[in-house]
Amino acid sequence: MLLVIQIVVCVILVIFVGTWLSQSADILAEKTGLGRSWVGAILLAGATSLPELAVGISAVVVFNAPDLAAGGIFGSCLFNLFILALLDIFTGPSPLLQRAQISHALAAGLGSILLGVAAAGILLAQSNNNLIFGWVGSPSIVLIVLYLVSARIIARFELRRRTEVLELEVVQYEHIKRQQAFLIFATLSVAIVVLGVWLASLGDRVATVTGLGQSFIGALLLAATTSLPEVVAGWAAIRLNAVDLAVSNVFGSNIFNMAILGVYDLAYFRGNLWSNVSSVHIFTAVVAMMMTSVAIVGLIYRAAHPSRLYITWDGLALILLYISGMYIIYRS
């Protein structure tokens, strides 16, 4: 009973802090002039993905379970794209991706590149062709560098269209100072990390108590708990009418997740992390790239051909890909 009470309290706090965090990110988008796309893809995505980083490093360093940590990251990428489908259903008759800027295809494409690098890293390690520098595999270095390059590319692109963004977005936070906005966002980011790690530990305890700890369902439960901040942040952004913030958070989270894999490798001193990662994650990465491609097509196609259906074809495709992908992974 005490465990249930803790879960309820933690979920309520995550919803409260996550909602406030989305509004804070929206304020930063206005104050910095970088727009919601960059702030959502880099700042908000980084903040909501930090629980995965903390939980994964614990799995790698303390429990010597690099495959579990990598599986959590790839599973999180799939779940993030599944969030797009959920938001698409609950945003009403106007399709989510129709309301978003086509420019999100840039972040989505960069995420696919990083997913491809990670899949190639696992494949090379399985065939003993992985180049290692000290204890760090070359794919890890490439992923971290590509993340930094991606952040710069998205920032420069958003700055290029800064005038357009400022014209489209109504100034509504004039009463808040820029320094105050950064301080609030940083404080809320720390809070969401603490709550995310706490929620993940509670989910792990539930999996253990119910006997699901070592099962596929237990892994799904842990992945869902660590991804709750992204769900809450996305829903809160939609309610703020900040669709670009919600969509960029999803694609940005996947970019950040791939960089997290590189950080795991840096923290893993017991051998070559990529050689200790199951080849089934290659399939997960491929499914994630397929789902990303569906989202990109949805962004571009529906911009010219809007749909009034509550469940759009791309939202349905994302759901089917997620369910079928998870089923095949379960069977594997």
Side-chain angles (χ1 to χ4, degrees):
M1 187 62 183
L2 180 60
L3 179 59
V4 174
I5 294 174
Q6 291 184 67
I7 292 174
V8 172
V9 171
C10 187
V11 169
I12 291 173
L13 289 174
V14 168
I15 292 174
F16 174 75
V17 175
T19 302
W20 196 2
L21 182 66
S22 286
Q23 184 176 17
S24 177
D26 198 34
I27 295 171
L28 276 182
E30 179 181 303
K31 295 298 177 182
T32 60
L34 288 171
R36 288 167 171 165
S37 295
W38 187 86
V39 170
I42 305 302
L43 295 184
L44 185 59
T48 55
S49 297
L50 282 175
E52 280 102 333
L53 175 61
V55 172
I57 286 182
S58 175
V60 167
V61 176
V62 179
F63 300 105
N64 189 26
D67 188 55
L68 179 64
I73 286 296
F74 285 110
S76 178
C77 288
L78 290 183
F79 192 81
N80 286 339
L81 292 162
F82 180 62
I83 290 173
L84 276 182
L86 295 180
L87 293 176
D88 191 25
I89 293 174
F90 294 108
T91 49
S94 181
L96 176 71
L97 296 182
Q98 177 192 332
R99 297 162 57 191
Q101 295 280 347
I102 297 179
S103 58
H104 293 301
L106 174 63
L110 290 169
S112 283
I113 293 173
L114 270 74
L115 281 164
V117 170
I122 300 173
L123 183 62
L124 289 173
Q126 297 292 327
S127 59
N128 295 319
N129 289 318
N130 192 21
L131 181 62
I132 302 175
F133 299 94
W135 73 94
V136 181
S138 55
S140 300
I141 298 174
V142 173
L143 287 174
I144 293 174
V145 171
L146 281 179
Y147 171 76
L148 298 175
V149 171
S150 297
R152 179 171 174 79
I153 289 175
I154 297 172
R156 293 185 66 179
F157 181 81
E158 286 302 312
L159 285 173
R160 193 183 306 163
R161 53 185 290 270
R162 178 176 179 179
T163 302
E164 178 187 352
V165 170
L166 291 178
E167 289 175 354
L168 292 175
E169 294 180 0
V170 179
V171 176
Q172 52 186 333
Y173 304 112
E174 291 182 284
H175 60 287
I176 300 177
K177 296 181 180 179
R178 182 170 176 168
Q179 294 81 358
Q180 182 184 0
F182 275 107
L183 179 61
I184 293 174
F185 183 83
T187 303
L188 292 173
S189 296
V190 173
I192 203 69
V193 171
V194 173
L195 290 172
V197 173
W198 183 27
L199 186 60
S201 67
L202 292 175
D204 186 52
R205 286 171 60 187
V206 170
T208 302
V209 170
T210 57
L212 299 173
Q214 299 299 318
S215 70
F216 177 78
I217 303 300
L220 275 181
L221 178 63
L222 186 61
T225 54
T226 55
S227 295
L228 184 60
E230 280 97 338
V231 177
V232 173
W235 176 247
I238 293 295
R239 296 194 64 183
L240 287 169
N241 198 29
V243 174
D244 290 315
L245 197 64
V247 174
S248 61
N249 180 39
V250 169
F251 295 132
S253 291
N254 282 4
I255 294 175
F256 190 77
N257 281 345
M258 291 299 99
I260 287 176
L261 271 181
V263 177
Y264 288 169
D265 197 8
L266 290 173
Y268 188 64
F269 297 102
R270 305 186 187 188
N272 181 7
L273 180 138
W274 296 95
S275 296
N276 290 280
V277 172
S278 172
S279 58
V280 72
H281 301 311
I282 298 176
F283 173 78
T284 311
V286 170
V287 175
M289 287 187 283
M290 291 171 63
M291 293 177 72
T292 303
S293 298
V294 168
I296 292 174
V297 173
L299 275 168
I300 297 173
Y301 177 78
R302 269 212 320 278
H305 303 277
S307 169
R308 294 187 179 275
L309 296 177
Y310 274 63
I311 302 179
T312 56
W313 69 266
D314 52 327
L316 183 60
L318 289 174
I319 293 173
L320 292 176
L321 280 170
Y322 178 76
I323 293 175
S324 58
M326 295 307 290
Y327 175 74
I328 294 173
I329 294 168
Y330 167 73
R331 292 296 301 270
S332 300

